[in-house]
Each structure stands twice: as structure tokens, then as C-alpha cells.
Amino acid sequence: MDFNYSDAQVMIAQSIRDFAEKNIRPFIMEWDEAQTFPVDLFKKLGEMGFMGVLVPEELGGSGLGYHEYITIVEEISKVDPSIGLSVAAHNSLCTNHILTFGNDEQKKRWIPKLATAEWIGAWGLTEHNTGSDAGGMNTTAVKDGDHWVINGAKNFITHAKSGNVAVVIVRTGEKGDSRGMTAFVIEHGTPGFTSGKKENKLGMRASETAELIFDNCRISDANRLGEVGEGFIQAMKILDGGRISIGALSLGIAKGAYEAALKYSKERHQFGQPISNFQGISFKLADMATEIEASELLLHKAAFLKDNHKPVTTLGAMAKMYSSEVCVKVANEAVQIHGGYGYTKDYPVEKFYRDSKLCTIGEGTTEIQKLVISRNLLKE
């Protein structure tokens, strides 16, 4: 196995670092405090090809693979995880769902606009009373001639207000039936389709999270992705890739927090010497660095499987579970190493700490990842 970064990865990493230093770092706390979703920033990211990473060039994308995708999300998240989260959600959920399951006409209609960030994408599975139990969803689509009428609401949806188009999975059959759900693409401005409450969150505050509301929303059957009843199965396949995204986000947070802690430990003096000289601190750094390394290896193995069209469900869940738990642990230790200063907004670890927790919840909780992993292990 080749552990060297490809020339493309090295070039991409440097490009996104330079972009982040100029266009993201100066505004981190401003966006965080005001919960601003910086739409113009994502337009710039789109111009650079970072909003259509996995999209073929003929559809306006960068035509890259999952190794490069991890690099992009990781590097952005080392600076501001909330921007990394939105890049991940746009690429791996909305855009990738249409790319994977849309027909040629649907791809040509929506993908070029998403790949360039002319349009921002949202993806809706979760509802108020159905998080991990997605099969119990209440939002329905009822067939009416060549159209469908959708009623209900989706909750905790990234880009629900600012997104121009959303892929939503709704119930078209019996509740609890894994083949009773169907995916549709709905453009904002469609009558009966609105956004609702924007969430006031602990972290990831520059990544917009809100409700999608459907009130007799009427859409053409041409907006259906795949066959009727395939929506849930499609969603599970999309989440396989989405877990790699959240793992990359987690890796970026962990690296950002670790690098800040390492720097501070060398600069902060107590008892006449840098605190990094004390075993209590140096051992923390050793654990942090080791677990980050393990996270990165897991993620890139999952990326290898994904790029080579091999089964990735188990390893993707492992990578997401481990990386997300590590990022919370590393962010926590980074605050501890900073001591009282780590609890203030003057140092970056406070924000890494707040942002990290989402990674153990979003796109499947740690507990759900363990369920996925254990079920697949027991099938073998």
C-alpha cells in the first residue's frame, strides 16, 4: 500500500490552505458569533472546484476521488469545521445523491449548478420524531396523476434556508417499510415548499441548520430519483460515503486542535520551563497524535474501497465512529492543555471543542455506527 500523498493531493492541500488563510480564518469568530452562513464563500469554493469534488468534469465538476475529497474537507476543517461541514454536506449528500441515482436528464438539469455552487444543495432524511429511526418518518408523498403531493417536515437539515435545491426522502408506502420511501428533488420556490426554524446550535454555527416544510407541495414525477420505494435504500448507500465525509471533518478538527495544543504547550511556561516538558502534557500529546494517525489510516482505507467500488459500509462506519470519537477526545484534551485560556474565545481550541460534538451525532450517531458494524460482522 502506498502511503505517499499523490501530487494532486499535495497541490489541493496547499491550494485550500492558502484559500482558507485568506478567505476563512479572518472571519471565523464573526461568523460563529452571528451564526452567519457565508453563501459568497461557497460560491468562491465552487469556482475552485471544491463544491463538485466527486462530479465528473463533463458535468462541471473536478472529477476527483475520495482521497482528494478527504484532503479538501480535512484542510478546511482544520481552520473552520463549520465550513468543512457545509462543504461535506453539499458534496456527499445532495450532489452525490443526484449523481448516483439520477437519470441523464436529471444530472444535466441539476449537477452542473451544484458542482459550481451556482446552487447550494440540501438533503433531507431526518424528522422531528425520527432521527435514527428513519423508517418511521411521517412526511408523505401521494401520487396524483403525473405529480406527487408532499406534506410534512424535515428537521436538522443543512442549508435548509439558503439551499436552492433539496433531495428529500419521504414515505410513499407503509410506515416502517424499508421499501416504502422514495427520493425526490425539490427546488426552492416550488409552491408549498418553505423553510422553518433555524437551529441555535452549540457549535458548527456558520453551517446553517433548519427545517424543511411541505404543505401540499406539488412536484412532477420527473423530479423522482430512481424507482418508487427505493428512497431508503438509496439513502443508506449515500450515507456510506457521507460517513467518510464526517470522518474527514473529524480528522480536520482533531488535527486543528492538536496543532494548536502542541504550539501552545511549547510557548506556555510554568515553573521555569515549557509545559510540554512535563510528562502530564507530553503524554497527552502522544496519545492525541497516535489516535489522529489511526483515524487518518482508517479513513483512507475507506476511501480506497469507495474509489474502487468495493463494499465500504463496515469500514466507513468504523472510520466515522473512530474519527468522530477521537476528535471529541482530542479537542477536550486541547482545551485542558490550554488551561483557563482554553475556555476563552481568544484561542481556537474553544471552538474546536464546541464543533467536535456534532461529529459523533451527525449522519448516524456513534451508537448507530456500532449497530451497523456489529450487524455486518455477524453476517460474515
Side-chain angles (χ1 to χ4, degrees):
M1 185 177 289
D2 184 3
F3 290 100
N4 293 314
Y5 282 112
S6 67
D7 290 342
Q9 283 175 275
V10 173
M11 182 182 69
I12 287 166
Q14 189 57 56
S15 174
I16 198 66
R17 278 189 212 116
D18 294 343
F19 179 89
E21 288 300 320
K22 179 182 178 181
N23 298 284
I24 299 176
R25 192 176 296 282
F27 309 103
I28 292 172
M29 293 314 296
E30 176 188 330
W31 293 337
D32 182 75
E33 295 283 353
Q35 300 197 66
T36 300
F37 178 62
V39 175
D40 288 345
L41 174 75
F42 293 96
K43 303 292 185 185
K44 292 178 183 177
L45 285 164
E47 290 171 6
M48 296 181 69
F50 296 139
M51 297 295 276
V53 181
L54 304 168
V55 175
E57 292 181 29
E58 59 267 26
L59 288 171
S62 298
L64 299 172
Y66 270 82
H67 292 293
E68 293 80 11
Y69 179 47
I70 288 171
T71 301
I72 291 165
V73 175
E74 172 199 330
E75 289 294 339
I76 294 172
S77 303
K78 282 166 66 175
V79 178
D80 189 344
S82 57
I83 304 303
L85 173 62
S86 278
V87 169
H90 176 93
N91 274 281
S92 70
L93 298 179
C94 178
T95 305
N96 198 42
H97 198 138
I98 299 172
L99 183 65
T100 304
F101 295 105
N103 58 38
D104 288 343
E105 183 181 335
Q106 291 168 332
K107 291 176 186 178
K108 290 175 183 176
R109 179 178 173 186
W110 290 303
I111 292 295
K113 291 180 179 179
L114 288 165
T116 57
E118 178 184 345
W119 281 12
I120 302 295
W123 190 81
L125 178 65
T126 300
E127 298 184 4
H128 292 80
N129 296 313
T130 58
S132 299
D133 180 21
M137 67 175 57
N138 293 310
T139 301
T140 59
V142 177
K143 190 79 183 293
D144 181 18
D146 293 331
H147 289 75
W148 295 82
V149 179
I150 302 177
N151 282 286
K154 296 290 178 179
N155 196 31
F156 297 140
I157 308 305
T158 305
H159 311 149
K161 284 185 175 289
S162 298
N164 304 93
V165 64
V167 174
V168 295
I169 296 89
V170 299
R171 185 160 56 83
T172 50
E174 295 300 316
K175 186 179 287 192
D177 180 4
S178 64
R179 294 192 174 273
M181 290 161 273
T182 305
F184 296 91
V185 182
I186 310 176
E187 297 179 14
H188 262 290
T190 302
F193 179 37
T194 57
S195 56
K197 176 190 173 187
K198 180 179 176 180
E199 301 296 340
N200 185 7
K201 300 177 295 183
L202 169 72
M204 301 291 191
R205 290 164 63 85
S207 179
E208 178 185 275
T209 307
E211 295 174 305
L212 294 175
I213 298 172
F214 308 93
D215 182 8
N216 290 319
C217 177
R218 188 178 178 85
I219 59 169
S220 169
D221 189 56
N223 288 44
R224 172 172 48 82
L225 291 173
E227 299 301 319
V228 174
E230 289 184 349
F232 183 76
I233 293 129
Q234 292 177 9
M236 294 304 102
K237 290 179 180 177
I238 293 302
L239 285 173
D240 281 347
R243 287 167 184 149
I244 296 174
S245 295
I246 299 299
L249 172 64
S250 302
L251 180 63
I253 293 172
K255 284 189 176 183
Y258 165 74
E259 289 171 8
L262 180 65
K263 179 175 182 289
Y264 182 83
S265 73
K266 293 177 179 179
E267 296 171 348
R268 173 69 166 169
H269 283 68
Q270 293 285 273
F271 306 102
Q273 58 186 309
I275 62 171
S276 58
N277 285 358
F278 296 106
Q279 191 178 86
I281 300 300
S282 64
F283 277 20
K284 286 183 186 295
L285 293 167
D287 286 339
M288 293 158 78
T290 302
E291 291 176 339
I292 288 170
E293 195 73 20
S295 297
E296 192 160 22
L297 289 169
L298 263 176
L299 279 165
H300 280 286
K301 185 174 181 182
F304 170 81
L305 295 177
K306 187 71 175 168
D307 280 345
N308 287 277
H309 309 290
K310 296 178 182 294
V312 73
T313 301
T314 303
L315 202 77
M318 288 177 173
K320 192 273 185 188
M321 179 185 75
Y322 186 78
S323 299
S324 64
E325 291 292 338
V326 163
C327 92
V328 172
K329 181 180 176 182
V330 168
N332 179 57
E333 291 288 42
V335 171
Q336 193 71 15
I337 289 170
H338 280 70
Y341 289 111
Y343 204 65
T344 72
K345 293 183 183 291
D346 295 330
Y347 287 81
V349 292
E350 175 270 345
K351 185 174 182 297
F352 283 126
Y353 183 61
R354 286 188 289 110
D355 288 346
S356 68
K357 190 55 195 169
L358 181 277
C359 296
T360 67
I361 298 169
E363 296 193 35
T365 62
T366 293
E367 292 74 21
I368 287 296
Q369 305 313 316
K370 290 182 178 180
L371 184 66
V372 170
I373 295 163
S374 61
R375 280 181 175 173
N376 285 341
L377 293 177
L378 293 169
K379 284 179 186 175
E380 295 175 359

